[in-house]
Amino acid sequence: MAANPRQQHSAGPVAIEVRDLRKSFRVPEHRVDSLMERLARPLTRADYRTLDTLKGISFDVHQGEFFGIVGRNGSGKSSLLKILASIYRADAGRVRVAGRMAPFIELGVGFNPELTGRQNIELNGVLMGLTRRETLARVDAILDFAELHGFDELKLKNYSSGMLVRLAFAVMVQAEADIMLVDEVLAVGDAAFARRCMEVFRERRAAGTTIVLVTHDMATVQQLCHRAMLIEDGVIRQIGDPADVALAYNSLQFAQEMPATGPDGQAITAVHHLHLEHAELHGADGRPVEAVAAGDPIRLAVGLQAVADLAGAAARIQLRPESGLPVGVFDLELPDAIARGERLQLGGAIANPLAPGHYIVDCFIATEDAPGSLAMQHIRLLGFEVTGAATDGMLHLTHDLAAVVDGGGSR
């Protein structure tokens, strides 16, 4: 019997070792906003409170492993990644790293806004461990990936956030480090850039590069990661199989974002019955696309695999803007019974009256867990762009409204 690839990676040499890592920050209780306030109370001592961000974190990442770190905002995951990248210093504990590391932590870190794009490439390439000659040999490849030819002599302070993130990621990719540290790269930039990032992740995963990814996207975690870790309130809540970690994360999110009861007063419990294999939009020619023109149908294709027996389930597809209430809700009938291991395909066309902007497609799978109780799984399927001329409304709706002059005025 062939070994499970996740087990193979977890049994390999250790690339990152973290033991009893602790980090806290001093947060002022009172903020001094003006010079006048400072002069009025020159001898007043500022009061601080201690915010414990990491409380004794210990874990290993093995060579060639794609390791996901998830958690809600403020859980400590980004602080952990910055300690791994030597941007923050831990208060206690130790970190050991075997290999050259390339971090992609946040916009602007390691860049000088007063230098040009080309000068920043040379600077960051050296910081990533390349020689100056190696960096210069890779400049054209970096500019090609970042799509910044013609902007390389422009100072970085004049770059947009999208240009900056493309440049930073391109430099990290060309560094060809043994270990990549990536914090929410897919949350920044356009859909085409996010797709190229995913291609890079798949290539590096296949090549055996060790990758640590911090993300809120459970679909990415389940598709790419060998193992994942959930951090909550500065401690490890769960570590292991990505599907189990995604379930634990979604349970926390349900508690924070979802109503406690269903439409008929049922209690809601988060579960994980289906694994997302793929989710994409198709153009008229059947090929995957990242954007849809306003007015063109939204052709959705989703592949799921059951990781547990499922009976009496119902599905709901929900379409919403990136921040806002749903603009489309579609209920689907599912087979009465789906056995573990069976695959389920969801797809079809949705009429598109949407105004240009970024939209999210979610899927909810619900079953009756017990009388008065619903077991529900939330799957973030994908994000996409609707392109076209800007409009004042959220939807393009057809109408036959008209204005006429009433000839029956006063005489």
Side-chain angles (χ1 to χ4, degrees), residues 6 22 28 56 92 95 100 114 137 156 166 181 190 213 294 305 311-312 320 372 379 403:
R6 286 177 178 160
R22 299 177 185 273
V95 176
R100 191 172 67 182
E114 295 299 328
L156 222 65
R166 294 201 305 271
L181 303 180
D190 57 25
L213 174 68
Q305 184 177 25
R320 62 178 176 84
I379 306 172

Side-chain angles (χ1 to χ4, degrees), residues 175-345:
E176 297 181 352
D178 304 306
I179 302 169
M180 295 170 61
L181 303 180
V182 187
D183 190 359
E184 284 291 4
V185 64
L186 299 180
V188 186
D190 57 25
F193 173 72
R195 185 175 181 179
R196 291 206 305 277
C197 291
M198 289 292 288
E199 291 173 356
V200 169
F201 288 150
R202 290 191 178 96
E203 291 171 0
R204 294 302 170 86
R205 184 182 190 271
T209 303
T210 304
I211 303 174
V212 178
L213 174 68
V214 167
T215 184
H216 289 98
D217 187 353
M218 294 304 103
T220 300
V221 170
Q222 294 181 64
Q223 290 178 37
L224 294 179
C225 292
H226 298 106
R227 287 191 304 143
M229 177 174 72
L230 171 63
I231 298 179
E232 175 68 10
D233 194 27
V235 299
I236 297 176
R237 178 69 67 88
Q238 187 157 343
I239 186 169
D241 186 88
D244 296 334
V245 172
L247 173 58
Y249 174 83
N250 286 330
S251 297
L252 290 174
Q253 289 295 86
F254 267 102
Q256 183 181 40
E257 299 177 357
M258 299 295 291
T261 59
D264 298 321
Q266 309 99 316
I268 294 179
T269 302
V271 295
H272 182 80
H273 285 148
L274 294 165
H275 168 68
L276 178 64
E277 293 190 319
H278 67 85
E280 54 195 19
L281 298 184
H282 287 170
D285 59 0
R287 295 180 179 179
V289 296
E290 302 290 345
V292 178
D296 287 353
I298 300 168
R299 300 177 179 89
L300 182 65
V302 178
L304 303 165
Q305 184 177 25
V307 296
D309 293 339
L310 194 60
R316 169 169 289 187
I317 302 293
Q318 184 171 286
L319 180 62
R320 62 178 176 84
E322 191 166 20
S323 58
L325 297 174
V327 294
V329 175
F330 314 99
D331 292 324
L332 308 179
E333 292 185 4
L334 297 183
D336 291 337
I338 303 172
R340 178 178 180 179
E342 287 187 330
R343 286 178 166 82
L344 182 67
Q345 304 296 324

